[in-house]
Amino acid sequence: MTQYGATPRDSVALDDERRALVIIDQTKLPRAVSVLSLTAQEEIYRAIATLQVRGAPAIGVAAAIGVYLAALGIETDDWDKFYSRFVSAKQYLASSRPTAVNLFWALDRMEGVVIRNKNLPVSGIKYLLRDEAERIHDEDIRVCRAIGEHGLGLIRDGWGILTHCNAGRLAAVRYGTALAPLHLGRERGRNFKVFADETRPLLQGARLTAFELMEDGIDTTVICDNTVSRVMQNGWIQAVLVGCDRMAANGDACNKIGTSGVAIIARHYGVPFYVCAPTSTIDMNVPNGNGIVIEERAASEVTEMWYGERMAPEGAKVYNPAFDVTPADLITAVVTEHGVLRPPYGESLTALRPIQGLQRPDQYR
Ligand code: MRU
């Protein structure tokens, strides 16, 4: 592990020389900017599972780099043996978290390289896998910047913006999704007043969103999750911007637990609710939000994490879903790298399909 003083430009990257996945350890923020250089598959799996690297786009990029590093370690010239060990490595990383589709999307893209190039020597396939992992990394930067451009067109200088969880640069490679319009706006001298929900139980809003926005000089106020209605009632919020972990074909948007409550409150106060999502987050194989697997996490995240001492009685039952689904009819617009989609999302997402070349997970099998 290496410690640096300043935040690196990319939250996730490949270090060719050390054959390592390099990430900012998000569990240490904001107290320390700690950069991890991970080489073992178990370390990479653990980094995703424990949220050292988190956020849908970031875990996709991390998994792509991770499976490339696994491929480098497979010593055989025989394609069938290589493929079988590659698939095991892929399945191992895919089992790290269940909800964000970017994880599976990126791993499927990597597998596609192995399958399409069966005729090449294994060394050549490894070379192409490196290219694909780099492409997934670089595309994320371009895609998020484009989301930033489209999102910036929806908000005005001086507005109050509410966001939930962290869908910023820490959740992607460089700009993020929901926070990309704010970072771009900042580059262009615009001033927003951002309200960051603290986001129980893992506090991505208080720890990560506040950290990255303040680092960028953006006016940021942290609020408890149960303060959303109050700030909207005060007239302080002109738009909500959130990210997404998986969007179903009808536009239902699965994101950090609590997002759907924000959408319901926003509808009550007539505040527009925008979901910012790269097309890699859209899963056309799932017809609606009911088909999305919602990760459930450890009870200790609710009962004792962050507290000086345990706060719930021993033996108290805990329900700790990490995500919820915002019904499509509460979403004012979906901001993608290809532009702003409006309802009905069944139609607007389907129209996007030929442009994005949406891959079915079973495309290569
Ligand atoms: O459990 P997390 O922290 O990985 O959840 C992340 C979110 O819910 C983000 O809002 C989502 O991944 C969008 S990231 C650009």
Side-chain angles (χ1 to χ4, degrees):
M1 186 180 113
T2 328
Q3 300 267 356
Y4 295 103
T7 320
R9 193 162 67 142
D10 290 356
S11 304
V12 192
L14 168 67
D15 179 342
D16 266 324
E17 224 166 278
R18 293 189 199 165
R19 293 188 165 193
L21 166 69
V22 180
I23 57 165
I24 301 171
D25 182 349
Q26 299 192 39
T27 62
K28 297 283 188 295
L29 287 171
R31 293 179 308 283
V33 179
S34 169
V35 177
L36 302 179
S37 195
L38 309 175
T39 48
Q41 288 298 296
E42 295 72 24
E43 287 178 321
I44 295 171
Y45 173 96
R46 205 178 322 118
I48 298 173
T50 64
L51 277 57
Q52 286 177 313
V53 59
R54 51 145 296 283
I59 61 179
V61 176
I65 294 173
V67 83
Y68 160 64
L69 296 173
L72 276 186
I74 302 174
E75 285 174 11
T76 177
D77 292 330
D78 178 88
W79 186 89
D80 287 306
K81 285 189 188 137
F82 176 76
Y83 180 57
S84 141
R85 290 180 57 192
F86 178 89
V87 168
S88 301
K90 179 190 167 209
Q91 284 168 349
Y92 176 59
L93 290 179
S95 64
S96 56
R97 291 193 78 186
T99 303
V101 75
N102 304 61
L103 176 67
F104 312 101
W105 167 87
L107 288 169
D108 280 344
R109 261 181 77 161
M110 296 297 282
E111 184 182 353
V113 170
V114 180
I115 293 173
R116 282 197 305 278
N117 295 289
K118 192 173 179 176
N119 56 327
L120 292 185
V122 165
S123 58
I125 295 176
K126 289 180 180 174
Y127 185 84
L128 293 177
L129 282 170
R130 187 202 168 282
D131 275 0
E132 189 70 353
E134 276 290 305
R135 203 171 296 121
I136 289 171
H137 171 275
D138 294 352
E139 271 175 26
D140 184 76
I141 299 169
R142 285 196 302 277
V143 160
C144 287
R145 206 177 154 93
I147 289 174
E149 292 287 358
H150 295 301
L152 194 54
L154 296 170
I155 55 181
R156 304 227 181 93
D157 198 15
W159 272 16
I161 306 291
L162 185 129
T163 190
H164 191 75
C165 194
N166 172 265
R169 57 169 301 232
L170 293 164
V173 176
R174 212 173 281 175
Y175 293 97
T177 57
L179 302 189
L182 307 176
H183 288 303
L184 277 194
R186 175 75 186 152
E187 266 177 40
R188 294 172 194 171
R190 306 223 193 135
N191 292 304
F192 301 108
K193 290 189 188 328
V194 183
F195 289 81
D197 291 353
E198 64 176 352
T199 317
R200 282 279 298 156
L202 293 183
L203 306 183
Q204 289 93 333
R207 295 187 302 109
L208 309 176
T209 297
F211 171 82
E212 77 163 74
L213 293 179
M214 288 168 70
E215 194 179 50
D216 202 16
I218 296 172
D219 182 329
T220 307
T221 304
V222 177
I223 57 170
C224 294
D225 296 330
N226 50 13
T227 306
V228 172
S229 176
R230 182 66 188 157
V231 291
M232 291 193 184
Q233 204 168 47
N234 287 348
W236 294 349
I237 308 297
Q238 281 65 55
V240 176
L241 294 177
V242 293
C244 185
D245 283 80
R246 192 185 295 228
M247 178 166 282
N250 72 340
D252 285 353
C254 181
N255 191 52
K256 179 51 53 194
I257 188 74
T259 306
S260 66
V262 175
I264 291 165
I265 297 170
R267 170 62 55 92
H268 178 81
Y269 290 106
V271 173
F273 182 91
Y274 298 117
V275 175
C276 301
T279 47
S280 53
T281 297
I282 299 166
D283 187 351
M284 295 300 275
N285 301 310
V286 175
N288 60 52
N290 296 334
I292 298 174
V293 177
I294 305 281
E295 176 181 21
E296 283 191 39
R297 296 186 61 88
S300 57
E301 290 179 353
V302 176
T303 54
E304 46 216 278
M305 207 167 173
W306 319 114
Y307 294 128
E309 57 189 89
R310 187 183 166 95
M311 279 297 148
E314 288 294 345
K317 285 202 285 181
V318 172
Y319 173 49
N320 183 20
F323 300 95
D324 64 19
V325 174
T326 300
D329 64 353
L330 293 177
I331 300 172
T332 311
V334 176
V335 186
T336 75
E337 70 271 31
H338 299 297
V340 177
L341 307 186
R342 299 281 176 179
Y345 297 112
E347 285 171 25
S348 46
L349 291 171
T350 303
L352 205 59
R353 197 166 182 149
I355 312 174
Q356 63 176 142
L358 277 177
Q359 295 166 339
R360 300 182 63 86
D362 60 354
Q363 181 175 334
Y364 302 110
R365 283 180 211 124

